[in-house]
Amino acid sequence: MNLMTIHWIEAFGWLASLLTVATYAMNTMIPLRVLAIASSICFIFYASVLELWPLLVMELTLLPINAYRFWEILTMRGRVSRATEGAAADFSIIKTYGKRRRIEAGTCIFRRGDPVDRLYFLAEGRVLIEEVGVEISDGDIFGEIAFFTDAAQRTATARTVGEVEVYEIDEKRFMRLQFEDPSFGLSIMRTVTRRLAANGQLELGAGAVTS
């Protein structure tokens, strides 16, 4: 191995070290992961040429981990972007964590004033929100607004229209899903905002009729 080659190999080692230091200086995740991947690639070349086996094994382990985390970040950003652009909300993730129930027609799932205990994803059928006369169709959620009230009580009564299939999750799982999946949390916020605005319009309309 000639002197020029040694200098080039040493240069890769220094570059890898600089990239590692830069990684620790990053305050956002995408640049951090990109630099970590680049650092691992340089260290892999450096360690394999000089037969630094412990370093090589470590970097061969870190490279796929950082690559996977980088892919997760890009995937999550894509979900948030689609939700922000107004794509139809997808709440089907609740089916993965929720408890499945089939409920007969005309059943009151919860009444106004009941304590909050569950959020529901309607997989099949229709549910009537009686106080506002709104029907929830399959693929949508209901029972979410009460989680955001100070009283922690149901604000309306939900009754099945025909037989339905629902998946229910408790408050703890609901809160965890919002943090684990930002697109889910954003869809929840948009749904709650839209429904509160619609309820407000209905109340204004009722006031205009009776006044």
Side-chain angles (χ1 to χ4, degrees), residues 69-141:
R69 295 303 184 193
F70 182 58
W71 174 81
E72 279 189 324
I73 294 169
L74 293 181
T75 301
M76 187 175 295
R77 285 186 55 158
R79 290 178 181 174
V80 173
S81 177
R82 287 192 294 272
T84 305
E85 290 170 358
D90 182 9
F91 300 110
S92 59
I93 190 174
I94 296 175
K95 296 173 69 175
T96 304
Y97 301 99
K99 178 182 178 183
R100 177 180 174 273
R101 285 178 58 193
R102 290 202 69 86
I103 306 175
E104 296 180 354
T107 301
C108 180
I109 300 176
F110 54 76
R111 297 182 184 276
R112 184 172 184 173
D114 286 349
V116 180
D117 57 352
R118 296 285 188 274
L119 175 140
Y120 300 88
F121 171 74
L122 184 57
E124 180 183 326
R126 292 177 296 154
V127 170
L128 175 66
I129 308 301
E130 292 186 344
E131 283 75 3
V132 293
V134 173
E135 284 192 1
I136 306 297
S137 57
D138 55 296
D140 211 342
I141 58 170

Side-chain angles (χ1 to χ4, degrees), residues 11-210:
F12 265 93
W14 281 111
L15 176 59
S17 299
L18 289 172
L19 290 171
T20 300
V21 172
T23 297
Y24 286 99
M26 294 296 104
N27 56 11
T28 54
M29 291 305 298
I30 288 182
L32 186 151
R33 294 298 177 184
V34 169
L35 288 174
I37 291 169
S39 172
S40 288
I41 292 172
C42 291
F43 267 130
I44 287 170
F45 174 79
Y46 177 73
S48 61
V49 172
L50 296 183
E51 299 183 352
L52 304 175
W53 307 126
L55 179 60
L56 179 61
V57 170
M58 182 181 71
E59 295 301 332
L60 286 173
T61 303
L62 290 175
L63 180 59
I65 292 174
N66 281 307
Y68 177 71
R69 295 303 184 193
F70 182 58
W71 174 81
E72 279 189 324
I73 294 169
L74 293 181
T75 301
M76 187 175 295
R77 285 186 55 158
R79 290 178 181 174
V80 173
S81 177
R82 287 192 294 272
T84 305
E85 290 170 358
D90 182 9
F91 300 110
S92 59
I93 190 174
I94 296 175
K95 296 173 69 175
T96 304
Y97 301 99
K99 178 182 178 183
R100 177 180 174 273
R101 285 178 58 193
R102 290 202 69 86
I103 306 175
E104 296 180 354
T107 301
C108 180
I109 300 176
F110 54 76
R111 297 182 184 276
R112 184 172 184 173
D114 286 349
V116 180
D117 57 352
R118 296 285 188 274
L119 175 140
Y120 300 88
F121 171 74
L122 184 57
E124 180 183 326
R126 292 177 296 154
V127 170
L128 175 66
I129 308 301
E130 292 186 344
E131 283 75 3
V132 293
V134 173
E135 284 192 1
I136 306 297
S137 57
D138 55 296
D140 211 342
I141 58 170
F142 63 98
E144 79 290 343
I145 292 178
F147 281 110
F148 299 93
T149 62
D150 292 334
Q153 293 181 338
R154 297 295 183 188
T155 58
T157 301
R159 189 178 301 276
T160 60
V161 180
E163 187 178 15
V164 303
E165 178 180 291
V166 300
Y167 288 80
E168 55 186 43
I169 56 175
D170 59 21
E171 183 177 8
K172 183 178 180 181
R173 172 56 68 179
F174 171 58
M175 294 302 176
R176 282 188 61 185
L177 275 177
Q178 290 193 83
F179 286 107
E180 292 172 0
D181 188 341
S183 63
F184 174 80
L186 182 59
S187 295
I188 289 289
M189 292 297 101
R190 295 180 70 177
T191 299
V192 169
T193 302
R194 185 180 71 249
R195 288 177 176 173
L196 287 175
N199 291 348
Q201 291 296 326
L202 286 171
E203 290 176 1
L204 287 174
V209 171
T210 56

